Amino acid sequence: FLKNDSVIPGRPVPGNFSYCLCEGLGVQGPTRNTGLALLEVAIEFVSPIYVGDTIHLESEVIEARESSSRKNAGLVRFNSTIVKQDGTVCIRYRPLRLMKRRQPGA
């Protein structure tokens, strides 16, 4: 059916799966052991990802501020983009995280 009759050119990967995969691998990077909570996320699914595609995550800090309720933590917002091997943007999302702060003198 996929080869002859479908309007979809391949086997699509659910967008939420791709988002969760990149989030899971992303927190194993530079922010490892500093994240305390994911507070909010806005997700935009831009283009499909298919079985066989290679994807990667690009993230940038766009906001950082102190937490009003926790002296040892801060709020950090990221611009994150999931990109396919050909440079096509597939998913954009903006998570707000509660993260450990550096201690003075550290």
Side-chain angles (χ1 to χ4, degrees), residues 22-84:
C22 285
E23 268 294 286
L25 294 174
V27 297
Q28 297 301 315
T31 61
R32 187 176 187 171
N33 297 325
T34 60
L36 300 173
L38 176 63
L39 302 176
E40 167 185 306
V41 65
I43 302 176
E44 176 187 6
F45 297 97
V46 180
S47 63
I49 298 170
Y50 297 101
V51 171
D53 283 340
T54 300
I55 58 174
H56 70 272
L57 176 66
E58 299 173 2
S59 286
E60 170 187 21
V61 173
I62 58 170
E63 177 186 356
R65 64 184 193 268
E66 293 181 8
S67 170
S68 60
S69 61
R70 295 184 67 159
K71 293 182 185 212
N72 66 339
L75 299 170
V76 181
R77 186 175 306 276
F78 295 82
N79 244 356
S80 298
T81 307
I82 299 174
V83 182
K84 287 201 299 192

Side-chain angles (χ1 to χ4, degrees), residues 9-31:
R11 291 176 38 209
V13 176
N16 283 337
F17 175 78
S18 301
Y19 158 75
C20 289
L21 178 66
C22 285
E23 268 294 286
L25 294 174
V27 297
Q28 297 301 315
T31 61

